[in-house]
Amino acid sequence: MASGGGNNRNGTHRNSLKGTTTTSTVSTDKPLSVNSNPSKPAFKNKSSPLTGASSGLRKSSPGSLGGRAAKDDAGVPGRVRVAVRLRPRNAEESVADADFADCVELQPELKRLKLRKNNWDTDTYEFDEVLTEFASQKRVYEVVAKPVVEGVLDGYNGTIMAYGQTGTGKTYTLGRLGEEDTANRGIMVRAMEDILAEVSPEIDSVLVSYLQLYMESLQDLLDPTNDNISIVEEPKSGDVSLPGATLVEIRDQQSFLELLRLGEAHRHAANTKLNTESSRSHALLMVHVKRTVKGREPAHSSDNGNSTSMARSLRPPLVRKGKLVVVDLAGSERIDKSGSDGHTREEAKSINLSLSALGKCINALAENSAHVPVRDSKLTRLLRDSFGGTARTSLVITVGPSPRHRGETASTIMFGQRAMKVENMLKLKEEFDYKSLARRLDIQLDKLIMEHERKQKAFEVEIERITAEAQNRISEAERNYADAVEKERLKYQKDYMESIKKLEEKWMMNLQNQGNERKMVHIAEEVAEVKKLLSKETSLRKAAEEEVDNLKSQLAQLKMSEASANSEILKLRKMVEDEVCQKEKLEGEISMLQSQLLHLSFEADETRKRLDKGGPGKVPGRLDSPVSQVRSQLKDSGNGEKASVAKLFEQVGLQKILSLLEAEDADVRIHAVKVVANLAAEETNQQKIVEAGGLKSLLMLLGSSEDETIHRVAAGAIANLAMNEKNRELIMSQGGISLLSTTASHAKDPQTLRMVAGAIANLCGNDKLQTKLRGEGGIKALLEIVKCGHPDVLAQVARGIANFAKCESRAATQGSKTGRSLLIEDGALPWIVQNANSDASPIRRHNELALCHLAQHEVNAKDMISEGALWELVRISQDCPREDIRTLAHRTLASSPDFIAGLKRLRINY
């Protein structure tokens, strides 16, 4: 087995790159500054086309790869830094080239490389760094990548790229995971370690995309189904964006390593004579870092030094955004040396063409050409910011020592020499985080309102308590007074009646004994005694009257207390009115703060527009000027549906729009559900719609309305909401599958069926909901929808079945599912087999993927063989245009005993 470069993807870099002590050199541990002396030319001991007039710095020109002319305020100039790294001899070279000396000689202390033309003649070149075969991975990272990573953390874009012949150690330098030995970690892993050590998980974010450029097709390594990502270029700024690429937020190093493993598993590689696992695609790792700057005044703050504390609190936080691009280029190769043939030959041609296009752009930039052919290849379009743009770029070129590959080594060295002449204009990317400021003001407003409501409620409760207590005391005093008066009256009346009765009796006795003087005297004495008793009774009555007067005075005091309580109540009511006035005043101040925030936002947008159009202009003095401009722009572009929906959303509000879904007018309901569907198409609006009850309203509308237009649009909105993992569980818990199935059974319009099938397909992608989805008739609903026969509808059905099969396969691999597939039990297998070779590409691709996932579980093999799926699996493994699906089918057939036995029984040579 030929091994020109060794296994450089996941293997070691041979002896000296692992556990070898680096040689001591002078000042080589300090990373070169971006503005290191660019005027020092690369020289040769003989005349060279690189010396002379081209030795100075290359200034940015209209033909730069970034497409922007240099301005005095555009940024800081920074030349592309180039380092060369020598790979040690591998086992095959040690035998074949044992009698020959290495074709290169390194002088790291002088940062020079000598390329031997023959035994007596050499060419000498100078680079920013020269790394011998003994240089460690840590040394390479600190010299090549660390300055770029630090720049990304400070808000600049940065690019780290490896270029060289196949098998010279590019992937080892950049993408080595270092699982066996942490000292072998590559630049990708070490860069992410430094980034995660500097960012704050609470306020900062790190997002990662992992892509490959294969045969001029930009593919997502994190989502193999996304195999044709478009490249979008901003017309004003020239920035390149990839709207279809998967973005994954990274919180820790372990999740990043798992992401790299997933991407490497999907990357194309092949065995050639020069490398046992040669990369057949260019890999691009994009890391987007967003950091909040603390304790720093903005560069364009107000000139008035006596700004109020309110103005200071309105200042939004400053955010810096940097993007790190790590590019692992596929190695250039000569077909006669690599032995490529068939499809591998076509891959080599595509790699060489893209590298040739990159070389042409570098040549044009190095020579200050007026035209740079940036659009000749997708690779040059992706790297337009790295060469001649605004990114800090560091290039490491890898070479081998074998004299048999001297031509390729010389070509790599010349590429690095030309790249050293390219100068970028580094530009800091920072902006204000107005959304964070708005959230902070909203939270502060909510706290003030809640505190005011709490105090007002406590105040009202205290007033009620005092009033109730006063009334109770008055009532009790009145009852006590009435009882005391009644008791005294009854007592005096009783005593009076008894006295009268005694007097009458004694009077009668006195009348009978008138003749007896002694009796008369006795009577007189008794009368005197009666008089005394009467006087005593009179004094008692006076005492009772005094007691009554005392009670009356107490009652008067109670009434005075009541009057005092009433006056206190009036004071409290006045305080309540003052609190209401204060609340209105606070609401006015809040509205003023929101208006000031809006003005600041418009002023910042105007300043950004002026800077983008041509330099720093004077910021408008009047705050209403940007408002009028924005309004005019909205008026000019208001014909677009999205602009009108967004404007309606801002003016009316989500709650009012959702309330129109229950309107009695059918036309109003139709327009309202269309607006909600358009809003649900934006990911930023989905959570707001769900929290405001929009999902529940859509499901109720789907079940209650008989209008097919409403059914179609509502199903589309539910399909958009079902793209979110949390929303799928809410849809299922509220009976979404049953409603969608009922809608599908009554629908006649293919577009309505397409929307319903799309919603069910999205729900099929959740591992936790499969049993419930099948139990509520989700699979049978899809099989009923296929009767429509429309290609777009069938494509959505096939996608749902593929999602369901994929989740089942993953659950079976994890051990959480046993038994036959639910798809097979519900009778979906015959339709999958029948349409696995459909003329429509989407239907065919999804059904092929579904068959491969079903075949992963051995218990499904017998059913698949009886339904004829074995023939389709053989066809897929041989004729499918998608290599990942083809490989999956091949691996499944080779690993299943039932399928192997079926192939032998049917006499299929495989």
Side-chain angles (χ1 to χ4, degrees):
M1 182 175 63
S3 179
N7 187 350
N8 286 312
R9 178 172 302 284
N10 295 315
T12 61
H13 198 306
R14 297 293 179 188
N15 54 37
S16 60
L17 286 183
K18 179 179 179 181
T20 305
T21 305
T22 58
T23 57
S24 175
T25 59
V26 180
S27 300
T28 55
D29 289 336
K30 296 180 180 179
L32 290 178
S33 171
V34 177
N35 293 321
S36 59
N37 184 10
S39 61
K40 185 187 293 184
F43 65 91
K44 301 169 64 177
N45 61 349
K46 294 189 176 181
S47 60
S48 171
L50 296 177
T51 61
S54 62
S55 62
L57 269 176
R58 179 196 177 274
K59 302 296 181 183
S60 296
S61 65
S64 66
L65 198 55
R68 293 187 292 273
K71 304 185 185 76
D72 293 338
D73 60 339
V76 179
R79 176 175 59 80
V80 175
R81 299 181 68 255
V82 181
V84 61
R85 187 182 193 186
L86 175 64
R87 172 184 59 78
R89 287 194 178 193
N90 54 37
E92 191 266 341
E93 290 174 346
S94 299
V95 175
D97 300 334
D99 299 331
F100 299 95
D102 293 347
C103 67
V104 294
E105 177 185 350
L106 303 184
Q107 295 177 334
E109 65 279 357
L110 300 177
K111 300 180 182 178
R112 294 177 182 172
L113 178 146
K114 290 185 178 182
L115 178 64
R116 288 191 175 89
K117 300 174 65 175
N118 46 52
N119 291 334
W120 56 86
D121 193 7
T122 60
D123 290 337
T124 303
Y125 302 93
E126 184 174 288
F127 292 93
D128 294 305
E129 283 293 339
V130 174
L131 302 168
T132 68
E133 64 269 33
F134 303 106
S136 65
Q137 291 283 71
K138 179 180 179 182
R139 166 71 177 159
V140 174
Y141 170 74
E142 291 179 348
V143 171
V144 176
K146 192 167 185 177
V148 178
V149 174
E150 291 174 348
V152 171
L153 290 171
D154 289 336
Y156 296 91
N157 288 345
T159 301
I160 304 169
M161 186 169 67
Y163 178 91
Q165 183 189 8
T166 181
T168 55
K170 297 182 298 302
T171 303
Y172 177 88
T173 300
L174 295 180
R176 185 68 188 272
L177 299 182
E179 295 175 329
E180 299 85 1
D181 187 357
T182 57
N184 288 336
R185 292 169 298 168
I187 287 176
M188 291 182 181
V189 178
R190 295 177 183 269
M192 184 55 67
E193 286 179 350
D194 284 355
I195 290 173
L196 292 176
E198 293 295 329
V199 300
S200 175
E202 293 78 11
I203 58 176
D204 302 334
S205 65
V206 180
L207 302 177
V208 172
S209 296
Y210 201 11
L211 314 169
Q212 69 172 353
L213 183 61
Y214 175 71
M215 301 284 286
E216 282 301 301
S217 174
L218 190 58
Q219 303 174 359
D220 197 333
L221 289 174
L222 305 181
D223 182 10
T225 60
N226 191 6
D227 56 0
N228 190 14
I229 300 174
S230 59
I231 303 174
V232 178
E233 300 174 8
E234 295 293 335
K236 292 183 179 180
S237 63
D239 293 338
V240 176
S241 61
L242 308 173
T246 301
L247 278 174
V248 179
E249 185 172 3
I250 300 299
R251 292 288 184 177
D252 52 61
Q253 188 70 9
Q254 186 61 34
S255 61
F256 177 67
L257 292 176
E258 293 176 358
L259 180 143
L260 289 182
R261 292 191 195 99
L262 176 63
E264 286 298 316
H266 295 145
R267 190 176 177 188
H268 292 278
N271 185 7
T272 67
K273 291 181 179 180
L274 297 179
N275 195 347
T276 57
E277 195 172 352
S278 175
S279 301
R280 316 310 291 169
S281 65
H282 307 299
L284 294 92
L285 177 71
M286 295 186 177
V287 183
H288 302 266
V289 181
K290 179 180 177 183
R291 298 186 68 197
T292 299
V293 181
K294 298 180 180 179
R296 180 182 180 274
E297 294 293 331
H300 46 78
S301 60
S302 174
D303 294 334
N304 184 10
N306 297 323
S307 58
T308 63
S309 59
M310 180 179 294
R312 286 196 296 270
S313 65
L314 286 175
R315 183 177 297 124
L318 194 62
V319 175
R320 286 180 177 174
K321 296 181 179 179
K323 180 175 70 174
L324 174 64
V325 181
V326 183
V327 185
D328 182 10
L329 295 174
S332 60
E333 63 181 62
R334 293 184 179 179
I335 296 176
D336 57 345
K337 290 186 178 182
S338 64
S340 302
D341 57 359
H343 184 68
T344 309
R345 179 189 292 267
E346 296 300 321
E347 293 175 337
K349 288 181 180 179
S350 176
I351 292 170
N352 291 337
L353 284 175
S354 61
L355 293 177
S356 175
L358 178 60
K360 290 179 182 179
C361 291
I362 297 297
N363 291 342
L365 291 170
E367 296 171 0
N368 290 323
S369 175
H371 171 67
V372 179
V374 68
R375 296 190 174 275
D376 288 357
S377 170
K378 287 187 177 181
L379 177 63
T380 54
R381 292 177 64 192
L382 288 169
L383 298 179
R384 66 179 301 170
D385 193 42
S386 302
F387 293 98
T390 63
R392 185 193 305 254
T393 301
S394 185
L395 170 66
V396 55
I397 59 174
T398 57
V399 297
S402 176
R404 292 178 296 161
H405 305 304
R406 185 192 177 284
E408 291 83 347
T409 302
S411 175
T412 300
I413 292 172
M414 298 306 294
F415 179 88
Q417 290 287 291
R418 287 188 291 269
M420 288 178 66
K421 299 180 181 181
V422 178
E423 182 186 1
N424 298 344
M425 296 300 293
L426 310 184
K427 185 177 180 181
L428 180 64
K429 294 189 176 182
E430 60 181 14
E431 61 186 27
F432 290 116
D433 191 356
Y434 290 101
K435 292 183 178 178
S436 175
L437 177 60
R439 288 194 299 269
R440 192 169 66 211
L441 290 175
D442 288 340
I443 292 172
Q444 186 176 358
L445 175 61
D446 292 339
K447 288 183 178 177
L448 289 174
I449 292 175
M450 290 176 63
E451 182 66 19
H452 173 72
E453 291 178 350
R454 184 186 65 79
K455 289 183 178 180
Q456 184 175 1
K457 185 176 181 181
F459 180 71
E460 292 175 353
V461 170
E462 184 65 18
I463 290 176
E464 292 177 356
R465 186 188 66 78
I466 294 173
T467 303
E469 183 179 355
Q471 290 179 351
N472 291 335
R473 291 176 63 184
I474 293 171
S475 300
E476 184 179 358
E478 290 178 349
R479 285 196 302 270
N480 292 337
Y481 174 74
D483 293 341
V485 171
E486 183 65 21
K487 287 180 180 180
E488 290 294 329
R489 187 185 67 79
L490 293 176
K491 180 180 178 182
Y492 292 142
Q493 186 177 2
K494 183 178 180 182
D495 293 342
Y496 177 75
M497 294 301 295
E498 289 179 353
S499 299
I500 294 298
K501 186 176 181 181
K502 289 180 180 181
L503 288 173
E504 288 178 351
E505 291 177 354
K506 290 180 179 182
W507 180 257
M508 291 300 296
M509 290 176 66
N510 289 332
L511 289 177
Q512 293 175 3
N513 299 319
Q514 287 180 356
N516 195 340
E517 293 180 356
R518 295 179 68 181
K519 289 183 180 180
M520 290 297 293
V521 172
H522 183 69
I523 289 172
E525 291 177 355
E526 288 181 355
V527 169
E529 187 178 355
V530 169
K531 288 180 179 180
K532 290 179 180 180
L533 290 174
L534 286 175
S535 62
K536 186 178 180 180
E537 290 292 335
T538 302
S539 62
L540 290 174
R541 184 172 181 177
K542 288 181 180 180
E545 289 177 356
E546 290 177 358
E547 184 68 21
V548 170
D549 292 338
N550 188 18
L551 291 174
K552 287 182 179 180
S553 64
Q554 291 181 4
L555 180 61
Q557 290 178 358
L558 290 175
K559 290 183 177 180
M560 291 175 64
S561 299
E562 181 181 5
S564 176
N566 290 333
S567 64
E568 186 69 22
I569 291 172
L570 292 175
K571 290 180 181 179
L572 293 175
R573 287 179 179 174
K574 186 176 181 181
M575 290 175 64
V576 171
E577 293 175 356
D578 293 339
E579 289 289 339
V580 172
C581 294
Q582 185 67 19
K583 178 182 177 182
E584 294 176 354
K585 184 177 179 181
L586 287 174
E587 290 176 351
E589 291 179 357
I590 290 167
S591 63
M592 180 184 69
L593 291 176
Q594 291 176 344
S595 174
Q596 291 179 3
L597 176 60
L598 179 61
H599 290 327
L600 286 175
S601 177
F602 281 130
E603 185 175 352
D605 291 341
E606 181 66 17
T607 303
R608 190 179 296 108
K609 291 178 182 177
R610 289 179 176 273
L611 290 175
D612 292 340
K613 288 181 179 179
K618 184 178 180 181
V619 179
R622 297 181 59 191
L623 293 176
D624 58 346
S625 176
V627 178
S628 60
Q629 293 179 7
V630 172
R631 287 178 178 172
S632 63
Q633 291 175 4
L634 288 174
K635 184 176 180 181
D636 294 338
S637 61
N639 296 328
E641 182 178 357
K642 289 186 177 179
S644 61
V645 170
K647 186 176 180 181
L648 179 64
F649 176 73
E650 293 176 358
Q651 294 178 351
V652 177
L654 182 59
Q655 289 291 347
K656 291 185 178 179
I657 294 174
L658 294 178
S659 65
L660 294 178
L661 295 177
E662 302 176 1
E664 296 181 357
D665 192 338
D667 292 335
V668 173
R669 289 199 305 273
I670 291 174
H671 288 297
V673 76
K674 286 182 178 180
V675 171
V676 174
N678 284 326
L679 291 174
E682 298 291 336
E683 185 177 356
T684 55
N685 298 330
Q686 292 178 0
Q687 190 63 27
K688 298 178 182 178
I689 293 174
V690 173
E691 291 176 353
L695 175 60
K696 184 176 181 181
S697 299
L698 289 171
L699 292 173
M700 291 178 61
L701 196 62
L702 198 64
S704 60
S705 177
E706 298 180 356
D707 191 299
E708 189 154 357
T709 301
I710 293 179
H711 287 173
R712 180 176 67 256
V713 181
I718 294 172
N720 289 334
L721 294 176
M723 296 176 69
N724 184 282
E725 188 76 19
K726 295 181 179 179
N727 294 343
R728 294 175 191 166
E729 298 180 2
L730 292 175
I731 294 172
M732 292 292 296
S733 65
Q734 297 179 16
I737 282 294
S738 300
L739 292 173
L740 291 170
S741 302
T742 304
T743 303
S745 64
H746 295 90
K748 298 180 180 179
D749 184 12
Q751 294 301 321
T752 304
L753 292 173
R754 182 173 70 89
M755 294 297 181
V756 174
I760 298 177
N762 289 337
L763 294 174
C764 287
N766 192 311
D767 299 355
K768 304 176 182 178
L769 305 177
Q770 287 203 316
T771 304
K772 186 174 182 180
L773 186 144
R774 185 247 186 161
E776 295 184 5
I779 299 175
K780 292 184 179 180
L782 289 176
L783 296 177
E784 287 295 325
I785 293 174
V786 301
K787 296 178 181 180
C788 171
H790 194 281
D792 292 341
V793 178
L794 297 183
Q796 293 297 326
V797 174
R799 182 171 70 87
I801 291 176
N803 287 340
F804 198 95
K806 182 177 180 180
C807 292
E808 276 196 330
S809 175
R810 184 161 54 239
T813 303
Q814 296 173 353
S816 60
K817 182 188 182 307
T818 57
R820 287 197 313 162
S821 168
L822 300 179
L823 291 171
I824 296 178
E825 292 183 357
D826 281 1
L829 184 59
W831 186 84
I832 300 174
V833 174
Q834 181 181 356
N835 292 270
N837 198 16
S838 173
D839 294 336
S841 176
I843 301 174
R844 181 177 66 255
R845 182 174 73 252
H846 290 307
N847 282 323
E848 288 176 346
L849 192 60
L851 283 177
C852 291
H853 284 304
L854 288 174
Q856 292 288 307
H857 200 19
E858 186 68 22
V859 74
N860 299 329
K862 293 183 179 179
D863 294 303
M864 297 183 70
I865 293 173
S866 64
E867 292 293 340
L870 182 59
W871 293 96
E872 290 299 327
L873 288 171
V874 173
R875 179 191 63 77
I876 293 170
S877 67
Q878 296 175 350
D879 301 335
C880 180
R882 287 277 299 276
E883 183 175 357
D884 54 343
I885 300 178
R886 191 168 65 247
T887 303
L888 182 60
H890 176 75
R891 186 169 64 247
T892 302
L893 290 173
S895 61
S896 172
D898 289 339
F899 285 143
I900 294 173
L903 292 172
K904 291 181 180 179
R905 185 172 62 256
L906 297 175
R907 296 180 181 179
I908 299 176
N909 294 326
Y910 185 73

